[in-house]
Amino acid sequence: MIQVLIVEDDPMVAMLNQQFIEQIDQVKIVGNVKNVEQAMTILKEQPVDLMLLDVYLPGMTGIEFLAEMRKEKIETSVILITAADDVLTVKKAINYGVVDYLIKPFSFERFKLAYERFIDLRKITGKEKVTNQSMLDKFFLSANEREQEEQLDLPKGLSRLTLRKVAKSIEQIKQPFSTEDLANQILISRISTKKYLLFLVEIGYLTEEIEYREIGRPVTLYQSNPSFTASIERYQ
């Protein structure tokens, strides 16, 4: 559940922001306040994942509040929502690391894009200790740049359709599996299955280890690598 704090002194805008947030799943509004004093109290009392922050607020501007948050080492992500469209304000907001900058009035579709940007950032800076280029590109590249990065060529002999089938089957397997296990599930030859498994190991999507058994040859077992689940996306 994503904890969201709204900081907006205009009641109509505050209500609109809340209505937008309530249209998104797995989100909880922990406060809808009118000034930075109330906001700071909530930030110090409970975890807040995302703050929707206005610039023009009584007592202290949103930009000044961002500076105060950084001094207090509060790392809550911020989407700035404001009528301020001057370059200096935008530059300061960027320097303080806001996730996005929305100029009033804006549509729900644009708001949702800002929220998705926050989710992308949260994924690449969350609990995992490592990331990968595919995950980073989702956040840092524009839509056009991401499109150009998509659909990377597969090694000769592999097809996207079969790769999607292999990946879907792997997602359903909850324990380490062998080439034979997967081949039996997707109903293609072990030789073909092995080619896809070797490719997925190469891009980091799978890890492999050898299991030595009392009888028979050692068996190579494969397992999904949680840190690199996005590495397959540009090949499908």
Side-chain angles (χ1 to χ4, degrees):
M1 187 70 69
I2 303 297
Q3 312 269 52
V4 179
L5 171 61
I6 300 170
V7 188
E8 170 62 65
D9 65 328
D10 185 322
M12 293 297 293
V13 177
M15 183 181 298
L16 181 62
N17 292 346
Q18 181 164 332
Q19 289 172 349
F20 279 176
I21 276 290
E22 289 173 344
Q23 294 183 56
I24 297 175
D25 293 333
Q26 299 298 311
V27 170
K28 177 183 178 182
I29 298 174
V30 297
N32 192 338
V33 300
K34 297 181 179 180
N35 56 61
V36 296
E37 289 81 7
Q38 293 172 311
M40 184 61 83
T41 298
I42 292 175
L43 288 170
K44 289 183 175 181
E45 288 180 349
Q46 66 183 85
V48 176
D49 300 305
L50 176 65
M51 179 165 59
L52 310 182
L53 178 65
D54 189 20
V55 168
Y56 299 125
L57 293 166
M60 180 185 293
T61 68
I63 297 297
E64 291 169 337
F65 187 46
L66 284 172
E68 190 67 23
M69 286 174 59
R70 299 307 174 240
K71 288 180 184 178
E72 296 287 334
K73 301 190 183 303
I74 297 172
E75 297 182 354
T76 297
S77 297
V78 175
I79 295 176
L80 216 57
I81 298 180
T82 178
D85 57 0
D86 60 283
V87 174
L88 182 58
T89 300
V90 174
K91 184 177 180 180
K92 287 181 178 178
I94 293 171
N95 288 340
Y96 283 123
V98 299
V99 175
D100 209 338
Y101 192 110
L102 301 182
I103 298 177
K104 306 171 187 176
F106 52 87
S107 66
F108 173 71
E109 286 71 23
R110 180 62 183 89
F111 174 81
K112 191 175 179 182
L113 284 175
Y115 182 80
E116 289 171 352
R117 184 174 174 83
F118 155 70
I119 292 297
D120 286 342
L121 178 62
R122 182 179 172 87
K123 286 179 180 178
I124 64 174
T125 59
K127 295 180 180 179
E128 297 293 343
K129 294 183 179 179
V130 297
T131 185
N132 61 68
Q133 193 63 56
S134 178
M135 293 176 68
L136 291 169
D137 288 349
K138 281 188 174 183
F139 183 77
F140 287 105
L141 294 185
S142 67
N144 288 337
E145 289 172 321
R146 288 199 299 270
E147 186 175 344
Q148 292 173 8
E149 290 289 327
E150 290 174 356
Q151 293 293 298
L152 295 181
D153 291 334
L154 287 170
K156 187 176 180 180
L158 303 188
S159 76
R160 299 189 194 283
L161 183 61
T162 304
L163 180 63
R164 286 194 288 269
K165 183 177 181 181
V166 168
K168 185 175 181 180
S169 296
I170 290 173
E171 289 174 0
Q172 297 171 356
I173 302 175
K174 304 303 181 183
Q175 67 279 334
F177 59 91
S178 67
T179 302
E180 185 175 2
D181 293 333
L182 184 61
N184 290 337
Q185 181 164 327
I186 60 180
L187 302 178
I188 63 175
S189 72
R190 279 182 290 178
I191 294 175
S192 295
T193 302
K194 185 71 172 181
K195 291 179 181 178
Y196 286 93
L197 291 175
L198 291 176
F199 168 69
L200 294 175
V201 170
E202 182 181 341
I203 66 172
Y205 183 77
L206 294 178
T207 61
E208 61 178 345
E209 63 176 342
I210 297 177
E211 181 180 275
Y212 294 92
R213 299 177 176 178
E214 294 182 4
I215 301 175
R217 292 182 176 183
V219 177
T220 301
L221 296 179
Y222 302 90
Q223 192 166 12
S224 296
N225 184 357
S227 299
F228 290 86
T229 52
S231 62
I232 196 175
E233 292 179 359
R234 288 185 290 163
Y235 294 94
Q236 292 181 303

